[in-house]
Amino acid sequence: MINKEPIRPLSIDGTGHYLPQLEVGNDEFRQLVDTSDEWIRTRTGIRSRHLAEGEAVWYMGAQAARAALADACCTAEEIDVILVTTVTPDYVTPSVSCVIQAELGARRAFCLDLNVACSGFVYALDLASRYLQDPAISTVLIVAAELLSSITDFTDRSTCVLFGDGAAAVLVRRGDGTSGIHAVELGAEGEKGEVLTASIERPTSPFAAADRGRFPLRFSAARPTLQMAGREVFRFAVTVLADSVQAVLAKSGAGMEDLDYVIPHQANDRILEAAAKRLGISSDRVYAGLDTIGNTSSVSIPLALDRCRRSGRVRRGDTIAICGFGGGLTYGAALFTL
Ligand code: COA
């Protein structure tokens, strides 16, 4: 039986998302690389994805944030903290969260960006629940925003068909104690970092050693575009998705029967099926909404949460597990009552 009282109360009062208008079908990739709709659909579950035509990360994030604020009947002045998850910030500085703060007029909020790749939303929700234990903080805005097309190599068929752009936001308040986090499991396996990389291009300092061999690069194969060893990531994903959900259930004294719904990071339908099988849960209790979205990194979980809330798939009082995995490598799961 699940412990009734959440260990860290919070209430998800609003959700929203933004997807670029441009929807690119699988067939359009045939002009770029040697691929087919059939290969992409059967290996991933993806039929199309939304790609930005110039939207900045902050712009997509602010649009999603406005939708979440409206949903929660919350004004920008009420926000105490803005957390942004992204691997594609518009600038090294200012952070995306600061730009969104200015855009919304959330003058009272302090702001920080998190880079945990596709696991980002789980980490952000954990952090929000910890901030909300401070009596001075009652309202946290989490925004996930990713412009993956800006780090995609559109000549690499093994990666370019997988990703999409977009943003999603969640407005979290402390709540009355009936809803909130039961357990969280977070982790990283930095020694596997080389299986999913993208580098940052910078000018070379005039003081840098000409002999680069003195300071060898950790990930010498990294390029400014995403490089991925797909099979290794696949294996990692299936294992950590199932294990981290089991870990949060065990920590909270819950069983699979207490779980109303699982919302995993959306990277590949086959990963979701394999993880559901490993967990021993029927696939109709596991969200799968990849077909018209693709992999949107940290956006995928809050985007799914928004869709599920708005469609009535999840309701107040439901016990939900979210779980993510991605670059780092990182992973995380959280069990909460909505
Ligand atoms: N169209 C056609 N063929 C393609 C292709 C494409 N878009 N991409 C790869 N192929 C080819 C490969 O070149 C390979 O050909 P070969 O056998 O002649 O060498 C063949 O398909 C099989 O490639 P492989 O990489 O073994 O395929 P896979 O079944 O492992 O599927 C992924 C590839 C990327 C879909 C899969 O590994 C995956 O989803 N991994 C996890 C990725 C992920 O989740 N990343 C994000 C982490 S957040």
Side-chain angles (χ1 to χ4, degrees):
M1 214 15 212
I2 194 164
N3 305 328
K4 269 289 170 225
E5 296 283 301
I7 56 163
R8 280 182 252 134
L10 61 75
S11 176
I12 292 178
D13 287 348
T15 53
H17 74 264
Y18 173 86
L19 289 171
Q21 216 178 357
L22 179 67
E23 193 173 345
V24 179
N26 289 344
D27 274 336
E28 295 187 52
F29 281 83
R30 290 171 57 202
Q31 295 160 14
L32 303 173
V33 288
D34 180 13
T35 190
S36 67
D37 172 55
E38 206 257 337
W39 191 96
I40 302 168
R41 260 190 305 105
T42 54
R43 298 291 181 115
T44 69
I46 300 166
R47 292 169 186 273
S48 61
R49 71 290 288 144
H50 294 258
L51 296 178
E53 293 177 277
E55 292 100 322
V57 174
W58 67 262
Y59 173 83
M60 296 192 289
Q63 295 292 90
R66 287 192 179 99
L69 288 171
D71 187 33
C73 299
C74 181
T75 64
E77 287 79 13
E78 291 172 59
I79 304 169
D80 297 305
V81 187
I82 301 177
L83 302 175
V84 167
T85 66
T86 188
V87 289
T88 53
D90 298 304
Y91 310 98
V92 172
T93 190
S95 62
V96 178
S97 48
C98 283
V99 181
I100 289 177
Q101 182 218 30
E103 181 66 13
L104 298 178
R107 285 172 213 86
R108 293 179 44 251
F110 66 80
C111 303
L112 69 148
D113 285 13
L114 311 176
N115 176 344
V116 203
C118 308
S119 317
F121 182 74
V122 184
Y123 281 67
L125 189 67
D126 176 64
L127 200 52
S129 72
R130 293 176 187 276
Y131 276 133
L132 287 168
Q133 293 187 303
D134 177 344
I137 294 175
S138 60
T139 306
V140 181
L141 174 68
I142 303 172
V143 182
E146 305 282 8
L147 187 65
L148 297 180
S149 58
S150 69
I151 56 167
T152 297
D153 177 355
F154 284 99
T155 65
D156 175 8
R157 68 177 182 175
S158 67
T159 54
C160 72
V161 299
L162 302 175
F163 301 107
D165 298 327
V170 173
L171 194 285
V172 186
R173 295 192 180 102
R174 189 174 305 113
D176 61 7
T178 56
S179 57
I181 304 264
H182 296 288
V184 174
E185 172 84 358
L186 303 176
E189 296 185 14
E191 75 283 0
K192 293 185 180 150
E194 68 184 356
V195 304
L196 187 48
T197 57
S199 64
I200 300 173
E201 281 204 329
R202 295 209 174 111
T204 306
S205 155
F207 300 100
D211 171 16
R212 296 299 299 268
R214 277 174 64 202
F215 305 106
L217 293 171
R218 175 91 186 180
F219 305 118
S220 50
R223 308 269 176 278
T225 49
L226 278 168
Q227 311 288 309
M228 182 174 69
R231 285 191 179 181
E232 280 81 349
V233 178
F234 195 107
R235 272 195 294 275
F236 172 78
V238 173
T239 309
V240 297
L241 280 185
D243 291 359
S244 61
V245 170
Q246 257 149 5
V248 291
L249 288 172
K251 281 183 184 180
S252 54
M256 206 60 80
E257 66 284 358
D258 296 307
L259 201 49
D260 292 303
Y261 207 46
V262 181
I263 301 181
H265 169 50
Q266 305 286 301
N268 185 321
D269 271 352
R270 290 189 298 140
I271 292 177
L272 303 183
E273 284 156 19
K277 199 170 163 201
R278 200 175 151 99
L279 267 174
I281 187 171
S282 68
S283 49
D284 61 339
R285 282 161 69 203
V286 179
Y287 180 83
L290 207 72
D291 53 339
T292 59
I293 307 289
N295 180 346
T296 53
S297 190
S298 68
V299 175
S300 82
I301 294 174
L303 171 57
L305 188 58
D306 183 39
R307 291 189 147 179
C308 289
R309 277 180 80 245
R310 287 176 193 266
S311 68
R313 180 65 191 79
V314 297
R315 298 166 195 279
R316 282 256 176 240
D318 279 356
T319 301
I320 299 168
I322 56 172
C323 44
F325 61 90
L329 296 177
T330 58
Y331 62 89
L335 184 73
F336 62 92
T337 297
L338 191 61

